[in-house]
Amino acid sequence: MAKFIFVTGGVVSSLGKGIATASIGLLLKSRGMKVTLQKFDPYINVDPGTMSPFQHGEVFVTDDGAETDLDLGHYERFVNESLTRNHNLTTGQIYNSVIEKERKGEFLGGTIQVVPHITNEIKTRIRKLANKVDVVITEIGGTVGDIEGLPFLEAIRQMALEEKKDDVLYIHLTLVPFIETSFEYKTKPTQHSVKELREIGIQPDIILCRTRLSLPQDAKDKIALFCNVPKQAVIEAIDVQDIYEIPLIFAQQGLDKLIIKRLNLHKIAKPPKLDQWQKYVDNSKNPGQEISLGICGKYTKLRDAYKSVIEAIKHAATQQKTRVNLHWLESESINFHNSKQQFSNLAGVIIPGGFGMRGIEGKISAIKYFRENKMPFLGLCIGLQCAVIEFARNVCGLKDANSTEFNPKTRYPVIYLLPAQRGKRQKGGTMRLGKYPASLNKDSLAYQCYQKEIIWERHRHRYEVNNRFVSTLTKKGLVMSGIYKPENLVEIIELKNHPFFLATQFHPEFTSRPLQPNPLFTGFIKAAIEYARKT
Ligand code: GLN
């Protein structure tokens, strides 16, 4: 039977609880244990798929097509394993399933209540992951003290009652602010947050302190005393430049040893193996060169909206010992006249996914510039759709060609909805989601990158390339280099006689990992380095 680690957060949100959880996962995995990670989100939406990127940041998509919290992206990247819809649950999903059972009559005669019915459902979802692993690590979203988080905290409190003492461990991440005027670290917010947890009945075993710089010993001692934990269980989570350094910082302070001791994992724990990870971090901190790349989209004010794209760029660039200087280009402010000025100092541009009409014409102008000026370009999902529209309009002469998403009445609907997607009323979970195979042309840039004939990548979109226009587009030189054969759908387009002009209907950013960058990102970064060298 597996052991359970629960990670909660206190004081404020956005302390990096997801990254801390992912780091703990990596540390245990690097000691030979099988781990899995799970996140509970206390909001009522069934999943984040219907939320605006401005509200929620990126929606991360799993192989099985679940639209999940972006922390799952961190989990996959750190632990290097693909997760499923069972690894991210929301209040909405928990209530949904309890209510469904009630309607079926499964609790006939009973009154359905938060305790025990909702908390039982939560515990079932935790234990569901326990059979094939040594440790299940569950992160509770939100901050201790939020009303909506209470059922989750109550459920994890009960876990300690029901499991053996050395099978359950609680880790609490808090903020230890530094007050400039008095020049000292303040432990009071941590004390209060732990007090709140203890009122609920949870005594944390380990406290992770988010702090700007290293904490003085007296501050740590104070936290230990007031929060009722041993001194060595107060661990610093110092601000770092590169998130991938966090597991190394935790390991230096013995976090893995502490967990192994407390959960009695000695028998299965092996010596830590973090050399590859360390090498990655060293490369990322000491790059040999730097290039400037652009990301052109409409959610540029909230960088979290492009989390996986940013990480995928970092992975590929670090592998090439290169630092990337990212420039954010608001697609709405780009047009034919200012393209040169916007792009001339860059080595390449990515147009990531997006929804709706705003900024589309800017993206199309930008792509014309990349095509004509032979500048490296990688288009993701809507990036492919805009590239097809641009080519249809400006190379094939199909004036006003468009996607029916942006102009339902266009004469040339080069991007459109397949009959299966037309008239769909329900928005949540109804896109083409999750992993699908694409067959690659052997004589293509895509094949050169992947070195494989069949690749699997993840999707999240409704619209597709309209096959009615494929022969017109190919005759003029657009190469459809990847196809989803069962439905004959275009997955990748590219141009010949161009250093790197490639766009995908899928999202390659979701499968990139620090030690295994996605091949298309690697290809793009290599082309950008070459372009920067020549210009
Ligand atoms: N809005 C487009 C579609 O639904 C593209 C989606 C995306 O970029 N993820 O097909």
Side-chain angles (χ1 to χ4, degrees):
M1 191 58 182
K3 310 270 181 180
F4 300 96
I5 297 178
F6 297 106
V7 184
T8 54
V11 185
V12 290
S13 58
S14 305
L15 288 180
K17 194 151 35 85
I19 290 166
T21 306
S23 301
I24 296 163
L26 171 68
L27 285 188
L28 297 183
K29 188 171 174 184
S30 77
R31 306 212 40 164
M33 284 172 246
K34 282 203 207 90
V35 296
T36 198
L37 300 153
Q38 177 183 43
K39 172 144 194 217
F40 283 115
D41 278 308
Y43 51 71
I44 295 172
N45 302 58
V46 169
D47 62 41
T50 54
M51 288 187 217
S52 152
F54 287 119
Q55 286 265 324
H56 187 272
E58 166 185 278
V59 173
F60 185 79
V61 180
T62 52
D63 276 347
D64 64 345
E67 298 177 275
T68 71
D69 185 74
L70 55 77
D71 277 335
L72 265 79
H74 293 309
Y75 298 172
E76 287 202 356
R77 289 187 281 268
F78 278 68
V79 180
N80 193 18
E81 260 161 52
S82 295
L83 303 175
T84 69
R85 60 182 67 253
N86 291 329
H87 298 252
N88 185 201
L89 295 145
T90 66
T91 293
Q93 283 176 44
I94 300 287
Y95 273 76
N96 240 356
S97 60
V98 172
I99 292 169
E100 252 172 48
K101 285 182 192 159
E102 185 275 335
R103 290 290 82 185
K104 278 192 205 145
E106 283 186 29
F107 312 111
L108 222 48
T111 307
I112 314 308
Q113 295 178 300
V114 174
V115 183
H117 298 92
I118 296 296
T119 48
N120 282 351
E121 184 68 27
I122 295 170
K123 287 183 291 177
T124 306
R125 301 303 185 102
I126 299 167
R127 291 191 174 110
K128 198 171 172 182
L129 300 185
N131 40 21
K132 288 198 190 107
V133 296
D134 301 313
V135 186
V136 179
I137 308 172
T138 303
E139 174 190 348
I140 310 297
T143 308
V144 169
D146 299 345
I147 291 176
E148 54 187 16
L150 283 173
F152 293 102
L153 296 175
E154 169 57 18
I156 66 169
R157 180 194 71 81
Q158 293 172 15
M159 289 288 289
L161 267 186
E162 295 166 12
E163 303 290 329
K164 288 203 240 56
K165 180 153 176 30
D166 63 359
D167 282 353
V168 178
L169 173 93
Y170 299 102
I171 299 182
H172 189 57
L173 171 68
T174 72
L175 175 71
V176 183
F178 182 72
I179 306 296
E180 300 279 351
T181 43
S182 59
F183 215 75
E184 57 182 342
Y185 285 93
K186 289 294 182 191
T187 63
K188 196 72 84 190
T190 299
Q191 294 177 38
H192 279 296
S193 154
V194 170
K195 186 166 162 258
E196 194 140 4
L197 256 187
R198 292 171 66 190
E199 272 169 20
I200 298 168
I202 296 172
Q203 165 65 52
D205 299 284
I206 296 170
I207 299 184
L208 302 178
C209 304
R210 180 74 190 263
T211 154
R212 239 178 57 197
L213 298 166
S214 191
L215 286 178
Q217 192 57 45
D218 61 337
K220 286 195 198 173
D221 291 352
K222 203 165 168 189
I223 292 171
L225 180 65
F226 282 90
C227 300
N228 196 30
V229 297
K231 285 183 186 171
Q232 69 274 20
V234 179
I235 305 275
E236 294 167 357
I238 306 176
D239 290 1
V240 284
Q241 226 185 328
D242 186 349
I243 53 169
Y244 300 110
E245 212 183 328
I246 307 266
L248 302 175
I249 289 175
F250 285 168
Q252 279 158 15
Q253 298 172 75
L255 179 59
D256 47 344
K257 286 193 203 111
L258 212 61
I259 295 174
I260 289 165
K261 190 166 163 216
R262 170 65 181 72
L263 288 179
N264 203 4
L265 287 161
H266 294 104
K267 280 203 196 96
I268 54 168
K270 302 211 170 70
K273 244 190 166 162
L274 282 166
D275 40 330
Q276 292 289 92
W277 198 269
Q278 178 75 55
K279 208 167 131 206
Y280 174 90
V281 172
D282 292 344
N283 282 346
S284 120
K285 286 169 104 178
N286 308 298
Q289 56 186 348
E290 186 168 307
I291 55 169
S292 291
L293 296 178
I295 294 191
C296 172
K298 69 170 179 174
Y299 313 113
T300 51
K301 287 196 180 63
L302 187 83
R303 310 282 150 88
D304 267 2
Y306 302 116
K307 195 91 224 164
S308 294
V309 176
I310 300 170
E311 296 307 316
I313 293 172
K314 276 205 265 173
H315 305 156
T318 301
Q319 192 188 48
Q320 304 303 318
K321 298 207 169 61
T322 301
R323 173 173 294 147
V324 172
N325 204 337
L326 275 184
H327 292 243
W328 296 90
L329 307 158
E330 181 56 52
S331 45
E332 255 184 323
S333 59
I334 294 168
N335 54 50
F336 287 116
H337 310 294
N338 66 11
S339 295
K340 187 164 187 220
Q341 173 209 339
Q342 296 256 16
F343 304 125
S344 56
N345 59 339
L346 302 177
V349 177
I350 292 183
I351 298 193
F355 292 83
M357 165 81 210
R358 187 168 72 80
I360 288 302
E361 291 303 322
K363 290 178 191 175
I364 293 170
S365 308
I367 293 169
K368 180 170 189 282
Y369 181 89
F370 310 143
R371 181 173 56 76
E372 292 178 343
N373 293 279
K374 301 208 183 302
M375 182 170 178
F377 157 66
L378 177 62
L380 312 175
C381 207
I382 213 166
L384 172 140
Q385 298 174 354
C386 290
V388 170
I389 296 169
E390 191 280 321
F391 197 85
R393 284 185 193 173
N394 301 325
V395 181
C396 304
L398 305 178
K399 200 169 165 284
D400 300 326
N402 217 328
S403 161
T404 53
E405 181 179 8
F406 318 131
N407 176 9
K409 298 214 174 81
T410 174
R411 266 213 298 160
Y412 304 111
V414 289
I415 307 292
Y416 78 143
L417 281 182
L418 289 179
Q421 279 285 348
R422 277 179 222 154
K424 266 197 181 151
R425 291 260 165 117
Q426 187 165 312
K427 288 266 189 262
T430 56
M431 283 187 252
R432 182 178 171 208
L433 288 166
K435 74 169 183 184
Y436 286 84
S439 310
L440 307 186
N441 284 357
K442 273 202 125 176
D443 168 32
S444 68
L445 178 58
Y447 184 86
Q448 225 174 300
C449 293
Y450 281 104
Q451 296 289 321
K452 265 193 222 161
E453 275 172 64
I454 307 274
I455 55 135
W456 289 81
E457 293 283 6
R458 302 179 192 175
H459 291 248
R460 182 173 185 252
H461 59 100
R462 283 185 208 288
Y463 293 81
E464 304 282 352
V465 173
N466 187 342
N467 282 339
R468 186 150 69 86
F469 296 95
V470 164
S471 69
T472 311
L473 295 161
T474 23
K475 262 186 220 138
K476 290 283 184 184
L478 193 68
V479 180
M480 315 290 172
S481 55
I483 301 288
Y484 172 52
K485 290 250 173 88
E487 289 188 54
N488 197 23
L489 297 174
V490 173
E491 293 279 17
I492 309 177
I493 58 145
E494 58 185 77
L495 285 180
K496 290 216 183 315
N497 304 319
H498 189 292
F500 195 101
F501 186 105
L502 186 145
T504 61
Q505 189 56 81
F506 51 80
H507 289 272
E509 68 271 25
F510 292 140
T511 51
S512 179
R513 312 266 163 91
L515 305 182
Q516 286 145 30
N518 180 282
L520 294 181
F521 279 84
T522 302
F524 171 69
I525 294 286
K526 283 185 180 165
I529 293 171
E530 191 54 23
Y531 184 85
R533 205 175 54 78
K534 283 196 189 142
T535 49

